[in-house]
Amino acid sequence: MSNISNIGDSNAWNITRLAEAFGLHRETVRKRLRSSKVKPSGKRAGVDVYALVDVGPALFSSERNTGDDDFLNPSKMLPKDRKDYFQSERERLKFEEEIGELIPDSDYRKDLYFSLSVVVNFFDNLPDKMERTGLFTPEQLELLEKEGDKCRDEMYNKLIEITPDE
């Protein structure tokens, strides 16, 4: 004859059964339950049993691995979590590139070069264009050229200060 037990007991397991079911060492299960402050839901045959609803987050929550600031710090992740993190980031970058939200560095540099060359040409040609109008004195044109050169030098220095990873 079989034993009749409460249906709620099927969702309450001891540490040994949890370890076997999830492929973890018993001591690992015990430490994670203790660190997450999971209390036994009862006793069966003198052994503590834990509700699966409480055990799941304690065993598998990523919050148990890291502090609040270190949640997305790959160097502080478990190896499996780190692999999953980098794999998902690679997929995210591919997707963003496919939909046009991410452009390759070479395209960005080419576009920046063309944009800045237009600005540089403007400053190079401005004094000559103003001289042809006949509305400016030679002193004013010299001042205009000097200020244009200053502005160009400032832009150049700002570009030099930018590091490649910014």
Side-chain angles (χ1 to χ4, degrees), residues 105 108-109 112 157-166:
D105 188 56
Y108 165 75
R109 289 178 183 272
L112 182 63
N157 289 331
K158 290 290 182 190
L159 285 172
I160 295 298
E161 289 174 10
I162 297 174
T163 59
D165 58 341
E166 285 186 339

Side-chain angles (χ1 to χ4, degrees), residues 50-106:
Y50 299 86
L52 289 179
V53 72
D54 298 330
V55 169
L59 291 181
F60 301 107
S61 172
S62 61
E63 294 172 7
R64 68 171 168 71
N65 296 330
T66 59
D68 291 338
D69 295 337
D70 297 332
F71 181 67
L72 291 178
N73 184 350
S75 65
K76 305 237 174 152
M77 292 179 179
L78 295 174
K80 172 78 170 110
D81 294 339
R82 184 172 33 251
K83 176 189 170 264
D84 291 343
Y85 171 77
F86 283 120
Q87 192 171 11
S88 70
E89 284 298 300
R90 236 187 334 269
E91 291 300 316
R92 182 183 60 81
L93 291 173
K94 284 180 190 175
F95 175 72
E96 286 181 359
E97 188 173 359
E98 286 174 9
I99 64 172
E101 286 190 16
L102 185 69
I103 59 170
D105 188 56
S106 59

Side-chain angles (χ1 to χ4, degrees), residues 8-73:
D9 292 344
S10 65
N11 291 326
W13 295 358
N14 65 25
I15 288 179
T16 302
R17 187 167 178 198
L18 289 167
E20 289 172 357
F22 297 116
L24 299 170
H25 192 275
R26 286 178 53 215
E27 192 57 35
T28 302
V29 172
R30 185 177 287 115
K31 283 180 183 177
R32 290 183 184 174
L33 293 176
R34 193 177 308 132
S35 71
S36 297
K37 297 179 176 81
V38 175
K39 302 289 184 204
S41 63
K43 281 194 182 264
R44 196 175 309 138
V47 178
D48 289 337
V49 291
Y50 299 86
L52 289 179
V53 72
D54 298 330
V55 169
L59 291 181
F60 301 107
S61 172
S62 61
E63 294 172 7
R64 68 171 168 71
N65 296 330
T66 59
D68 291 338
D69 295 337
D70 297 332
F71 181 67
L72 291 178
N73 184 350

Side-chain angles (χ1 to χ4, degrees), residues 98-166:
E98 286 174 9
I99 64 172
E101 286 190 16
L102 185 69
I103 59 170
D105 188 56
S106 59
D107 290 352
Y108 165 75
R109 289 178 183 272
K110 186 172 61 174
D111 291 347
L112 182 63
Y113 167 77
F114 287 124
S115 300
L116 290 177
S117 65
V118 168
V119 173
V120 167
N121 285 335
F122 171 78
F123 283 118
D124 281 343
N125 296 327
L126 185 63
D128 293 336
K129 287 180 182 178
M130 295 302 113
E131 185 178 15
R132 280 188 225 117
T133 64
L135 300 173
F136 295 93
T137 65
E139 294 81 23
Q140 290 173 323
L141 291 171
E142 280 183 36
L143 182 61
L144 179 64
E145 188 173 1
K146 199 183 299 183
E147 289 300 315
D149 289 344
K150 247 199 267 186
C151 184
R152 225 182 17 198
D153 289 343
E154 284 179 35
M155 284 188 340
Y156 174 77
N157 289 331
K158 290 290 182 190
L159 285 172
I160 295 298
E161 289 174 10
I162 297 174
T163 59
D165 58 341
E166 285 186 339

